[in-house]
Amino acid sequence: MKTRIISGIFLAIIAASSLYVGSWYLFLLCAFISLVGMYELYRAAGIHEKLLGICGYVVAVAYYVCVWLGKWQLETLVFVFGLMAVSYTHLTLPTT
């Protein structure tokens, strides 16, 4: 219980500082949290080391690069190509 309280306080300090600083610090923190969440979800599903999981990571990183560079018009393109790649790897390649 003591460890959870200490880690909760530590995470609250990180969250408050990122909201205060904003800009690139908040952006990188959000990107990191989303990639860690994807890893945990993929690991629970057992696809974190398969091509499907790797494809998901590449699409997420490409999306964050588009946002970082301010290329808003490319976000839809990244999403569509990512959806096509994930669909291809999931539907046509062997699952073993």
Side-chain angles (χ1 to χ4, degrees):
M1 184 69 169
K2 183 179 178 183
T3 306
R4 287 186 181 176
I5 292 174
I6 292 171
S7 64
I9 291 171
F10 180 70
L11 290 175
I13 291 170
I14 290 175
S17 66
S18 68
L19 288 174
Y20 179 74
V21 173
S23 187
W24 63 270
Y25 183 69
L26 180 60
F27 176 79
L28 291 178
L29 184 67
C30 289
F32 176 74
I33 289 172
S34 68
L35 289 174
V36 168
M38 284 178 63
Y39 173 75
E40 293 294 331
L41 180 66
Y42 289 173
R43 191 174 65 165
I47 61 169
H48 66 285
E49 293 178 344
K50 295 183 180 173
L51 186 60
L52 183 61
I54 293 169
C55 188
Y57 294 133
V58 169
V59 170
V61 170
Y63 170 76
Y64 279 111
V65 167
C66 285
V67 171
W68 180 260
L69 296 176
K71 302 292 184 185
W72 301 102
Q73 64 273 20
L74 294 180
E75 285 180 16
T76 305
L77 189 64
V78 166
F79 178 74
V80 168
F81 280 129
L83 188 60
M84 288 171 50
V86 167
S87 297
Y88 175 76
T89 57
H90 180 65
L91 297 174
T92 61
L93 298 178
T95 58
T96 57

